[in-house]
Amino acid sequence: MPGTTNGSTSTKTMGVLTVGALIAVTAYTVALGSNGWLWFGWVVLGLITLGMIGTRSA
């Protein structure tokens, strides 16, 4: 809803972004070969998402 701040919504958005990034990095790896920086970035994004989930449930 407009005007409301909901931590659950931002956590869901981060989850969708993380899954989308995993798909994109995997597609890149299959098409063009592995890039360590892309995987590193995805791991960092995943850790941030896990941290958001952890703080939401605490």
Side-chain angles (χ1 to χ4, degrees):
M1 292 188 182
T4 59
T5 56
N6 189 345
S8 177
T9 303
S10 62
T11 303
K12 287 179 185 176
T13 302
M14 282 296 291
V16 169
L17 182 64
T18 302
V19 171
L22 175 61
I23 293 168
V25 170
T26 303
Y28 182 93
T29 298
V30 169
L32 300 173
S34 183
N35 183 330
W37 284 109
L38 286 177
W39 285 107
F40 174 76
W42 182 82
V43 168
V44 170
L45 181 62
L47 290 173
I48 292 169
T49 302
L50 287 174
M52 288 179 71
I53 291 169
T55 58
R56 188 183 112 214
S57 62

